[in-house]
Amino acid sequence: MGVMHIPGHEHQGPREVTLEEVRTVLGDCRLCELSQTRTNIVFGVGNPHARVMFVGEAPGRNEDLQGEPFVGRAGENLNSILSLAGLRREDIYIANVLKCRPPGNRDPRPDEVLACAPFLREQIRSIWPDIIVTLGNPATHFVLKTETGITRLRGRFHQMGHFVVMPTFHPAAALRNPKWQELLEADFRMLGDYLARHPVGAGAAAAGAGAADDAAGGAAAPAPEGPMVAVPAGTPMDHLPLAGE
């Protein structure tokens, strides 16, 4: 799956296309059956220049009603622990793998993921964050293209081309399991430590190099100090491993 065609752009690079342009292409999406049962499309929300982008699985009931990701109790939990990483809600961008709620909050189906994948990719290209935090198993499997469980993947960073990926528990699941909540909070402290050791200037420099070298699969964000797993080296953004490809 290549780069989505955005009107007015050819072979667009990172940060060239705005989130508003991606949202316009999404429109009143009818690419899968979820369009028949949704209340609202939940595109994403937050800082379009965020260093940290959060990716969840799909909208839940509250998100479907309000058209915004991570509201309700899961959103409250996320907001409460962002400070552990030195972040505020207005500092980050949040999106989901799916833009529409699956009935009964069931797991996403492959055809639904395939339909939504180009929009998430263009959101990531538009923001071009230093770090992608994947929340829960479905989002982590989607981004890292692995079936390994979150309990084995969390607690370390995973390098993927320009991006550093930090898998962790979904805030909603952590509310039901105190031990997971403790681990979730530990991961956010680890994220805060990374951000403190890699100031904005270093991230911006890496982003610029990433934009120049993207076609060759070149640049990487500042390498985390500490536990890290490398996704296959030189993975270009156009081929960011996504489930359903």
Side-chain angles (χ1 to χ4, degrees):
M1 186 186 300
V3 178
M4 175 185 288
H5 174 67
I6 305 292
H9 300 270
E10 291 186 15
H11 311 295
Q12 64 264 21
R15 296 179 177 160
E16 178 180 335
V17 174
T18 67
L19 290 168
E20 289 77 12
E21 289 176 292
V22 180
R23 181 64 183 88
T24 297
V25 173
L26 177 62
D28 186 30
C29 182
R30 301 285 171 179
L31 292 177
C32 76
E33 293 183 356
L34 293 181
S35 63
Q36 301 174 20
T37 57
R38 71 175 182 233
T39 303
N40 287 296
I41 291 176
V42 183
F43 179 69
V45 69
N47 187 339
H49 310 292
R51 289 192 71 195
V52 184
M53 180 174 180
F54 289 77
V55 177
E57 172 187 355
R61 180 177 180 275
N62 290 321
E63 289 79 8
D64 179 54
L65 292 174
Q66 299 184 39
E68 182 175 328
F70 284 86
V71 295
R73 294 187 67 219
E76 291 172 2
N77 192 22
L78 177 61
N79 292 343
S80 70
I81 60 177
L82 281 172
S83 62
L84 299 177
L87 295 169
R88 302 164 299 170
R89 184 82 176 222
E90 55 264 36
D91 296 326
I92 66 172
Y93 191 87
I94 310 176
N96 285 307
V97 174
L98 298 188
K99 308 307 181 195
C100 300
R101 181 196 181 197
N105 293 341
R106 63 161 170 75
D107 289 341
R109 293 173 178 166
D111 63 311
E112 297 163 353
V113 172
L114 188 63
C116 263
F119 299 104
L120 178 60
R121 176 179 286 112
E122 291 308 314
Q123 286 175 292
I124 295 172
R125 287 180 66 87
S126 178
I127 297 164
W128 205 245
D130 289 338
I131 300 179
I132 299 173
V133 177
T134 55
L135 301 170
N137 272 319
T140 300
H141 294 167
F142 179 85
V143 171
L144 291 181
K145 202 172 184 180
T146 178
E147 293 302 315
T148 303
I150 195 69
T151 55
R152 293 180 59 190
L153 292 170
R154 61 148 299 276
R156 50 190 172 171
F157 297 97
H158 302 250
Q159 189 79 50
M160 180 184 290
H162 164 79
F163 306 101
V164 171
V165 180
M166 191 192 87
T168 191
F169 293 101
H170 194 287
L175 287 172
R176 301 189 294 269
N177 186 320
K179 180 60 177 177
W180 288 0
Q181 180 69 25
E182 292 178 9
L183 295 174
L184 175 64
E185 293 175 4
D187 288 342
F188 272 62
R189 292 187 184 96
M190 181 180 72
L191 173 61
D193 180 66
Y194 172 86
L195 293 171
R197 286 186 288 103
H198 299 90
V200 173
D213 296 340
D214 182 48
E225 299 168 11
M228 187 183 79
V229 173
V231 175
T235 303
M237 183 60 208
D238 291 353
H239 301 287
L240 175 67
L242 299 176
E245 292 190 24

